Amino acid sequence: MKSNRQLPDSKHFRLQQLADGVYAAIHIAGGAAIGNAGIVDLGDRTLIYDTFIAPQAAQDLRTAAEALTGRPIDAVIDSHWHYDHIWGNQAFSADTDIISTEETRRLIIATRGHGAYDSFMADAEANLETTRAQFEATEDEGQRRQLALWIDYHRSVVEAKPTLQIRAPNLTFAQRLAFHGTDRTAELIDFVGGHTESDAVLFLPQEGIAFMSDLLFIGHQPYLGGGDPDRLRHILEEVSDLAPKLLVPGHGPVGTAESLKVMSQYVSTLDGLARKMVEDGKAEETIDTMAIPEPYDDWLFASFFPGNMHFLFQRCLREQGDVVA
C-alpha cells in the first residue's frame, strides 16, 4: 500500500484504505450511512459498491471517491435490494450506471408503492421518537449502545424521506460480471438465497479483497429471515474458497477470513438452539425472554436475535411438517 495521504472526511462514515485505490467506507456512530460501502479504482474507471441508507451519506461517498480518483463515478453496484444499501443511488449522476442482478432490480422496483414500504415511511418519525425515549429512559450502557445505532437508523430515514427517490439499476448481470481495468480486475459474483433472493459480492482477486454486504456481519447480529441458513453457510464456504485476505461486511468493521467462520458458527449455534427447543417441546414464546448466548451477547442489532430464533424455530417446525399457523 503506497499511499498514506489524508483521506476525505465525512460525518457519516470513515474511509479505510485496503489497497492502493481500494477503500472501505464504514459507518460511524451518529452518521447516516448505517451500512458500509466501497470505492474501487480500476485505473481507468471507478466503481462504488452500495450507497448507504441516506442520499446525504451517499453524496459524501461520491465526493470522496471523485477526490480520491480525480474522475466521475462510472458505475454503482447494488449488492441486494434492502434499502439501507441502495437509497443513496440518487446521489450519483444520471450518467453513472447502476448495476445489479435482474432479481435485485426487480425487487428494488417492487418496493415502490408497496404497502409495507408506505407503512414504514409513515411511521418513520414515530419510530425515531420512540427510540429516543427508550434511550433516555435507560441508564444501562449496553442498551444505550444498542439504541444509539437505531436512533441513527431512524433519523436517517426521517432525513431522507422528503427528497427520497428510489433509483433502480439500469444494467443487470447474471451469475458473474468481470471488470477489467488498467490497474486491476474486479469480479461481481451472484449468490442466491443466502441473505436475500440475490446478493452480489465484489471480489478483487489480485488483492484478495471481498466486499460482502449483508452476506457478512461483523460484531452485529445478522438478519437471517430473508434467506436460507443452509444456503448462507454454503455461500460463506464458497467465499472462503476464494482465499480472501480482507472482507468488508454490510455492517461492522473490516474483517479477515476468520470472520466467515464466526458468521457461519453464529448461524449454526442459533439453528442448534432452535432445533433443541423443538425437540424438547418448548413453547416458541420462550424465545422472547431468551438470553443471547456468548460470544454474541454484546453484538449490535441485538433486537435481530429473537427474530432470527423465531425464524429458525418455524423453519424447524416446517421441516417436521408441524407448522403453527
Side-chain angles (χ1 to χ4, degrees), residues 59 62 66 72-74 76 88-98 167 170:
Q59 182 59 58
R62 173 183 174 179
E66 290 174 348
I73 310 305
D74 294 280
V76 164
N89 286 359
Q90 72 183 67
F92 293 86
S93 165
D95 295 329
T96 300
D97 287 320
I98 310 290
R167 182 179 171 190
N170 65 301

Side-chain angles (χ1 to χ4, degrees), residues 67-136:
L68 289 166
T69 65
R71 72 173 77 89
I73 310 305
D74 294 280
V76 164
I77 296 161
D78 286 346
S79 63
H80 63 295
W81 69 272
H82 287 169
Y83 50 79
D84 55 327
H85 298 274
I86 59 96
W87 272 2
N89 286 359
Q90 72 183 67
F92 293 86
S93 165
D95 295 329
T96 300
D97 287 320
I98 310 290
I99 303 172
S100 76
T101 65
E102 186 66 30
E103 181 66 1
T104 291
R105 180 180 186 274
R106 183 188 71 78
L107 289 164
I108 289 173
I109 292 172
T111 64
R112 298 172 178 169
H114 191 280
Y117 169 83
D118 292 343
S119 176
F120 173 74
M121 295 302 281
D123 294 340
E125 290 82 2
N127 289 336
L128 175 58
E129 291 310 310
T130 297
T131 307
R132 281 175 170 163
Q134 292 171 339
F135 180 87
E136 295 298 331

Side-chain angles (χ1 to χ4, degrees), residues 180-252:
H180 298 289
T182 56
D183 286 353
R184 61 172 43 88
T185 293
E187 186 174 11
L188 269 177
I189 308 170
D190 179 29
F191 292 101
V192 176
H195 174 63
T196 69
E197 293 85 343
S198 176
D199 296 271
V201 168
L202 182 65
F203 183 60
L204 310 182
Q206 294 157 261
E207 296 83 2
I209 296 171
F211 291 88
M212 297 281 293
S213 198
D214 283 358
L215 287 171
L216 178 65
F217 287 61
I218 298 178
H220 292 61
Q221 303 276 335
Y223 173 71
L224 302 181
D228 181 327
D230 295 332
R231 178 66 188 141
L232 176 56
R233 283 178 287 198
H234 181 69
I235 289 169
L236 295 172
E237 290 177 2
E238 289 187 80
V239 174
S240 180
D241 289 342
L242 297 173
K245 298 174 183 176
L246 295 173
L247 300 106
V248 182
H251 302 271

